[in-house]
Structure formats: C-alpha cells, structure tokens
Amino acid sequence: MQGIPILQFPGWRCRVERHDEAHFALPWFARGDTVSILVAGLGSECGADAFGWEVLRALESCGLPKTVNLMLCRHPGELMMPLLGADSAIIIDACVGGEKSGMLRRLRLEDIEGGERQLHGFGLVEVLRLVMALGVSPARLQILGLTVATPTAGLDPEWVSDGVRELVQILSEPLPAAALSSGKGC
Amino acid sequence: MTDQVNPERDITIEVPLLARVEGEGSLEFTARGGHIEKLQLCIFEPPRLFEKFLEGQDYTEVPHIAARVCGVCPIAYQMTSIRAIEKIFGVAEDPWVHAMRRVVYYGEWLQSHALHINLFAAPDFLGFADALQMASHFPDEVRRGMQLQGLGNDMLRLLGGRSVHPIGLRVGGFHRAPPKHEVADLVDKLLAAREVVRDFAEWAIGLPRPEDEQDFVGVAIRHPREYGLNEGRLMSTGGLDIDFAAYPQYFGEHQVEHSTAHYSLMNGERYFLGPLSRMNLNFDRLPLEIQDFAHDMGLHFPSNNMFMNVAARALECYLAIVDTLQILQHYHLPARPWQEFTVRAGVGHHCTEAPRGMIYHRFELDEKGRVLAATMIPPTSQNQACMEHDLHVSVERFGLHHPDDELRSLCEQVIRNYDPCLSCSTHFLKLKVNRDSDAGDSDPAVPGVALPC
C-alpha cells in the first residue's frame, strides 16, 4: 500500500513516509528489559475498520523486538488472555465518532464506554473492565483510536502512516512505572 | 429474606430485550389471581435471510456465508452445511478429515462452554451481579476459565485459520493440513491444560446449582463409538432413532404470534437440545477417565435437573481436551487434506451438535453445484418451546409471592441455562412492571440479546 511506512527495528531508524525520516528512541527495549508488549489491532479487512490491521501489517516487516507481540484481532474477546499475559498493551482500533475522519486519539476507557456492545454483550469495554478486575493496571493499557465519520468509511493510506507514526511515538515514550513493577498482566 | 408480596396481585412484566448483534428477544409475563396467564419468550430476531442469500450461490461459497449466521458457533453452521452438501456429492468422510473435524468442533465447544460457565452461569450460582463482580472475588477461577476459552480458540485456529469465522473448512475437508510442529505446539498446550480442565470441571460441577427437575424429552446425536458431535443418528430419550435425512418427517416448524423465530416441535411436542440432552444420551460414549470423574463427583446421567446443563457443559470441556489430545497425539500429515468428489444435483441433510444443541441443515443443489434451496434450523429456535415451558414451571414452583425483581432474576437464570446466545450480562433482562394493585412500580426496559443460534 502506498504511503505505508517502512520501519527498521532495532536501531529505531524509521522511515515513516517516503519523504519523512525520523528517529525514534525506544526506551522500553533500549534498557534491555524483557518487558512484553502486546500491540493488538482490532478490526477486519473492511474499509476503515482495517485501520488497526494495516498499521500492524506495516509494522510486521520491521524487525520488531521479540518482546513486542503483534496481534490481529477480530473480536475483543480474543484479547482477554493476551492482555493478562502481557506487561503492557496498546490496542489500535477505528471508532465512529463525531469528529472528522482521520483524527488519531489516545483514548481512555471512559472515552469508549457506552459504545455498541458485541457478541455476548462483551465488547472492548467489557473486556478491559474484566482484565482490570483481574489485576491489570489501567496505566499499562493504551488505546489508539482512529475516528471515522461513518461505519462505512474507507481507509485512507495516510491514516495508516499517521497511525504507525503515533504508535512508534507511544513505544518511544517512557513505559509507565507500573509496567515494570510486577509480573505478567499488563 | 425478602418480603413476600401478594401472590394474587395482578402482575404484568414486560421485558423488551434489545440487542444489535444477531437477534432480539423479550419476555412477557402476566399473572392474575395467583395464576400465570401469559409467560412468553418472544424472539423478535429480525429476518436474517441467510437461507435466501444462499440461493444461487456456488457450493464453495456456502461454508463462508453460513459461518456468518453466528459469531459464537460458526463451525456448527459451516460443518453442517458442508456435510449436507457432501451427502449430495456422495462423499464418505475420510478418517483423517473426520478426526480433524472433531478437533475444530471441540475447539468451538471449549471456547463457548468455558465462556458460558465462567462468565455467565457462575455469577448466577454464586450470587454475583455479573462476571466483573465475581472476578474480583474469584480471580484465579476466572483466569482459568479464560485460559480454557483461549485454548478453544487455539484449537479453532489450528484448522480454521482464525477463531472468528474460520476459513479453513471446505467441502471435502480442509484447505490446509497443519504442519506437525503446529500440532505439536497445540498438543503441549493441551497436555498442560489437562489438569486445568479437570479442576475447572470440578469447580463448575460443585457450583451451588438449583434443583429443577422437569419432564422433558432430550434429543441429540448418538454415534456407535464416539460422543455424538458431527456424525451418527438422531436419537431422543423418548425412543426416537432416525437418520438425519428423516428429520423433516418428525420435526416441524410453526409460527406463533409473539415471536418471529419459528417454533419447532417433534411429533407435535416440545423437546430439549443441548449439553444435558447430549450427556443423557451419550454418557457411555465418554472416555472412561471422564465417566469415572463424573461418578466421583456424584453425577448421575440421565438427569432431569435442567441445571445439570452446566455440569454437562463442564464434562464436555473435559471431553474436548481429552479427545483432542487422543486425536492429535497420533497426528499424521495426509496426502491431501480434502477428498475428491463429483459435483452433482440433489438434496442433502445433515445434523451436528452446536455447543448449545443440535442444528439441522438441508441443501438442494443443481447439477452445477448452485444452491436451489437451503434450510438451516438452529438450536435456539428448536429450544424455544421448551424454554417457555421451563419458565412456566419454574415460576410456578418459585411462587408469585416473590417480588418482581426476584421473578425477573429467576427468569433470567432459566433462560441463561440454555446458553441461547443471549447477551449474558446478568442485567440482560430489565423489567417493566405494571400491577393494577401496585401501580407505579416500573422500570425502564432494555439491554442486549444476541440470538444467533
């Protein structure tokens, strides 16, 4: 797909767009910790719903550290065990919102509450609440959302580039202290 | 102890369940003078139209379209349609294909049953409002159930390619035979889970389930050697013993005013599908290890306690792992993971056991393999008459002297016991209560139901 960034790990030299090179420091890995990070793309092959998958596909060929696990996910229920097994997690999803399409937002749980529930009444909110009830710290969970105006919106390749750039930015930021304080479970 | 209320009061309970997943249902309950006047489970599932969508489609498209009927049990729809079509093409199942079909179907059972027991049934039995509340008191138990659910998804992925709407199944067999290293990885997980599932089953069987003895006729698949799953004959605890092709002669659907889902009757009578009926008809087909375990746990089958459904589900989780291990520990790569066949016109019937009960498919194809007609009868609609009867009996036994919220809670529990793909939050039923004698006691309606199967 044109516009999808090419990233090289390790070394953190990332070409995010054809004319835009950037360097990223990734302190989570640079310190040599064995922190496992789950990066989950939630969606499908269809239109803007493919956002999370396309971002992960762009990352997949970049030689990510072994401690980063990429997961293409069709239903939030699939995330439950992986979230419990990771030290930290980033979930990438497209969401229908009032803002203009293509806006990237770092979301909190309360931002996505009240949305449509899914199979068995278990949507992303219910899954996150459940894993938190099982001890997962909210500080170790991040949600990266792409707003789209309608559920039938198509996917702009630029949004994927933006998503990768933002994801790498998240990975570049200091890991929340909570993520390093205990064993598995985000 | 709650205060009793006048059992002869006029009670009108309306439960308009709304769901956006794959169907909608509600409950209407009216009692006057101490007697139930109306107690109806109204499934107002919008027309799914899948049978019409399938008309004109090539047979190769059928498994992928049929899977979309249900996000929880797509294998049931895929497998049943594939086998019905194979009957037309004269395909006799190859042993390798048959065994792998059991593995992928067991994966669906395990993920569905573990989810139901862990997050939907257990909070009922333990007195929690929902799974979240239970998780804070029983975190290890909830994690264990989720681990088994995840293992079920792994089993689905091995042969289906993915756990939601798998794509690995085709008429004739599978698109791909998993390489030995993938099978070995799964065998390692299954071996590690053997004790886990035993503990899980012990815990589930030990839950303080209600006693609810009812008179019912159970219907399930029975196989000469295996636990009824994807091949065999259709049998009932009342003596039915028929080939799948004879289904239309014994089972009939009809419409009722209060539900868009068809009701099914067997020879004009309600019948009961699901894990308890399977167990009642197939206990002797369980591996001895599981039969012994059940006896040690004090279980006896056949049982007429409706809430033994959860115990039967737990035993089927155990079975899923033991039987899958037995199959995969002797895994070999086939020359080809599918069988050759000749496309031809005809009519084929097949039944399999979805997690929540038997599913029947009938396909009629033309000489090019295009679908002329499709019939797919899911377990939830077949169980609907039984659910209504069960609700009626349970409410009468419980007594109308209980407050409305307790009546509502009972109804929820009875319905959930069937695992009818309803949205299973304990708040899935909200009641609107209007009593002539107690006007003003009302509640808003809503939340979710999914009735995909």
Side-chain angles (χ1 to χ4, degrees), chain A:
Chain A
M1 177 184 290
Q2 192 175 12
I4 285 185
I6 299 167
L7 305 179
Q8 296 295 329
F9 293 88
W12 325 123
R13 178 181 172 84
C14 308
R15 186 157 65 86
V16 177
E17 292 173 342
R18 279 178 297 176
H19 307 293
D20 179 15
E21 289 195 350
H23 295 269
F24 296 91
L26 297 180
W28 296 11
F29 317 116
R31 65 164 62 95
D33 292 326
T34 54
V35 175
S36 70
I37 298 164
L38 172 71
V39 182
L42 189 55
S44 68
E45 299 94 341
C46 303
D49 198 33
F51 172 67
W53 289 19
E54 290 299 336
V55 169
L56 262 60
R57 283 170 176 150
L59 282 173
E60 200 170 23
S61 58
C62 300
L64 286 165
K66 288 182 179 176
T67 50
V68 177
N69 296 308
L70 302 182
M71 178 182 181
L72 301 186
C73 181
R74 300 175 72 86
H75 183 269
E78 296 175 85
L79 283 170
M80 284 196 283
M81 283 310 293
L83 286 173
L84 291 174
D87 292 306
S88 188
I90 304 164
I91 298 163
I92 309 163
D93 198 3
C95 39
V96 178
E99 303 169 58
K100 70 171 187 176
S101 294
M103 298 282 289
L104 275 173
R105 291 183 60 196
R106 296 189 189 189
L107 302 168
R108 297 164 299 173
L109 182 59
E110 45 271 35
D111 293 325
I112 58 172
E113 284 181 319
E116 186 175 338
R117 297 201 297 177
Q118 300 191 23
L119 283 176
H120 271 120
F122 258 70
L124 183 57
V125 171
E126 288 75 22
V127 166
L128 295 180
R129 287 213 173 281
L130 183 60
V131 296
M132 286 175 190
L134 293 173
V136 168
S137 166
R140 304 182 189 188
L141 291 168
Q142 298 202 54
I143 306 165
L144 179 60
L146 172 82
T147 60
V148 291
T150 68
T152 55
L155 181 63
D156 186 331
E158 289 297 315
W159 301 345
V160 178
S161 300
D162 293 345
V164 173
R165 195 164 32 227
E166 185 67 13
L167 183 59
V168 173
Q169 176 61 36
I170 292 172
L171 290 168
S172 303
E173 293 167 359
L175 191 63
L180 302 173
S181 62
S182 65
K184 297 296 181 187
C186 287

Side-chain angles (χ1 to χ4, degrees), chain B residues 84-334:
Chain B
I85 291 170
E86 287 179 353
K87 296 273 180 70
I88 300 171
F89 296 163
V91 179
E93 254 190 341
D94 168 85
W96 186 92
V97 169
H98 176 70
M100 292 307 120
R101 283 177 171 166
R102 287 182 73 82
V103 168
V104 73
Y105 220 138
Y106 277 140
E108 183 160 284
W109 275 18
L110 183 59
Q111 63 87 13
S112 178
H113 284 355
L115 177 73
H116 176 82
I117 293 170
N118 199 33
L119 299 183
F120 307 143
D124 272 347
F125 297 153
L126 294 171
F128 292 106
D130 54 34
L132 288 179
Q133 195 183 81
M134 191 184 87
S136 58
H137 290 80
F138 291 92
D140 293 339
E141 287 80 1
V142 170
R143 280 175 182 264
R144 181 179 57 197
M146 289 163 63
Q147 179 188 347
L148 292 173
Q149 188 188 343
L151 181 58
N153 285 332
D154 289 342
M155 291 158 68
L156 281 162
R157 275 190 284 269
L158 179 75
L159 289 144
R162 61 192 190 196
S163 62
V164 181
H165 298 143
I167 50 172
L169 288 74
R170 51 164 285 178
V171 173
F174 292 87
H175 288 288
R176 184 192 82 130
K180 284 189 173 181
H181 70 88
E182 288 183 18
V183 174
D185 288 346
L186 183 58
V187 166
D188 288 344
K189 289 182 182 177
L190 290 162
L191 286 170
R194 195 165 184 148
E195 282 306 308
V196 175
V197 76
R198 195 180 164 94
D199 292 345
F200 174 75
E202 193 171 327
W203 174 74
I205 291 166
L207 289 170
R209 61 180 175 271
E211 287 295 322
D212 184 20
E213 292 284 329
Q214 296 211 17
D215 179 28
F216 64 82
V217 174
V219 175
I221 293 170
R222 184 169 164 85
H223 184 277
R225 294 174 303 281
E226 302 164 343
Y227 191 85
L229 174 54
N230 54 340
E231 298 295 329
R233 291 174 65 80
L234 214 46
M235 295 203 180
S236 82
T237 50
L240 180 81
D241 180 358
I242 60 170
D243 186 85
F244 297 152
Y247 180 98
Q249 298 167 34
Y250 293 84
F251 296 81
E253 289 187 300
H254 65 278
Q255 288 183 305
V256 295
E257 192 174 343
H258 65 268
S259 180
T260 57
H262 289 172
Y263 276 53
S264 287
L265 297 175
M266 178 178 64
N267 292 327
E269 301 290 335
R270 64 185 159 79
Y271 57 100
F272 177 44
L273 305 178
L276 179 56
S277 290
R278 286 196 289 262
M279 199 58 66
N280 282 347
L281 284 156
N282 285 287
F283 185 78
D284 63 337
R285 296 290 186 262
L286 289 172
L288 285 178
E289 170 186 344
I290 300 175
Q291 289 188 40
D292 290 344
F293 170 78
H295 288 140
D296 290 346
M297 293 297 299
L299 299 180
H300 300 285
F301 296 96
S303 167
N304 273 26
N305 177 6
M306 304 301 282
F307 285 99
M308 282 289 280
N309 228 359
V310 72
R313 264 186 209 105
L315 292 178
E316 288 186 343
C317 289
Y318 194 176
L319 169 70
I321 288 181
V322 168
D323 222 1
T324 301
L325 263 174
Q326 173 65 23
I327 293 168
L328 293 186
Q329 284 179 320
H330 300 91
Y331 181 79
H332 67 275
L333 279 170

Side-chain angles (χ1 to χ4, degrees), chain B residues 425-447:
Chain B
S425 143
T426 50
H427 294 294
F428 82 86
L429 293 175
K430 285 193 177 180
L431 302 185
K432 181 179 181 184
V433 181
N434 294 304
R435 294 186 209 135
D436 291 350
S437 58
D438 187 20
D441 181 4
S442 64
D443 239 333
V446 197

